[in-house]
Amino acid sequence: MNYRVPTPVPQVILDDVRGAQKMLSGVSRVTAMEGSRHLSALTGSPVHFKCENLQRTGSFKLRGAYVRIAGLRPEQRAAGVVAASAGNHAQGVALASSLLGVRSTVFMPVGAPLPKVAATQEYGAEVIMHGQVVDETLAAAQEHADRTGAVFIHPFDHRDIIAGQGTVGLEILEQCPEVRTILVGIGGGGLSAGVAVAVKALRPDVKVIGVQAAGAAAYPPSLKVGHPVSIDNPNTMADGIKVGRPGDVPFKIIGELLDDVRTVSEDALSSALLLCLERAKLVVEPAGCSPVAALMSEPELYGGGPVVAVLSGGNVDPLLLQRILRHGMAAAGRYLSLRLRVSDRPGALAGLLGVLSTVDANVLDVSHVRTDPRLGLTEVEVELHLETKGPEHCAQVARSLHAAGYTVMS
């Protein structure tokens, strides 16, 4: 879908964000700011979380959606609104529309997580499942808008959306006036652009740094050539920032105001999610964890003063959460998988498990194979999946097995 942005690209200024803040009073929450002792020790600077995962609908998206829809003319409201989203924007538009008495239709891709579909419906939207990828869903939503006259509510490429998201920046400055660096995830760019507008107008000394998933990082090449470019097949677990092309409106702002854009790996994202859950007791989706992933990946870059990491959302499907937690534990050295061969005699497996118990390794799964043609007549192969305490514990397990006479194959 080719979304047409008016030329010249609209500007967003501090007064727009302040106006949005007044409009959102009593609608969106002033979300909490929580400290992180672990990350503070890691970076050498105080680190705080701006908890937009605790916002109504579970993400910052309500802010921009409400401001955009509230700004419609009466005849536009009467025609209703339409949006396309796999989750957070869908819920933001649905709730904002319900609060303003506007009819909403939301297109969601086939296969969108059922909890997100159900939540969007419960907030009052008519949900239509269409397309296998978001681009197909966006095209269907735009066609619906052209056919019915409903107003298309873009997830990031509109000045009102950006102004609404910028209220996060105003709250950060109020809650943490000593802040020196703000980290915020980037998908299309609406949140990071809004935060940059607010913060740089009031505190130009504060660094605003965007974070993208390495597998869906459209901003670095776009900034390099000076205009938005598309990347093919963006791929990341962080669906909230899985956007193949920057928005025209946020791109202009980000190019002028952001201090840097960093990228993070999938391993870093899953490790960050695990840290938020274990240490901060916060459920955060992968996209919302991207600033935490940046801090964990390069802590030495953020030692110059207080840091605020924006946890942009907490809407994660339970099945995906289960897979990510496993991935995160593996990335953190908390899982160990290995194969070895033992004698095919009574008590051999018990002896192996006894060695593991002496080093406090928790056995999650055991596979006992006798029929592989590569095995000797009196051998069996054992595959083990263990829960460990970290990389050093993994090494301790390997040393103990070697000392007991076992040869680890993998």
Side-chain angles (χ1 to χ4, degrees), residues 338-382:
L338 48 85
R339 289 185 302 118
L340 40 79
R341 291 178 183 177
V342 300
S343 297
D344 188 10
R345 58 178 176 76
L349 180 59
L352 171 61
L353 297 179
V355 173
L356 296 174
S357 70
T358 64
V359 289
D360 201 27
N362 185 31
V363 179
L364 299 175
D365 190 31
V366 178
S367 176
H368 204 222
V369 179
R370 284 191 172 89
T371 56
D372 193 316
R374 294 171 296 181
L375 294 171
L377 185 63
T378 61
E379 289 182 319
V380 295
E381 183 173 286
V382 178

Side-chain angles (χ1 to χ4, degrees), residues 281-298:
K281 314 307 177 189
L282 292 169
V283 176
V284 186
E285 63 189 274
C289 287
S290 56
V292 179
L295 286 168
M296 295 174 67
S297 299
E298 299 177 292

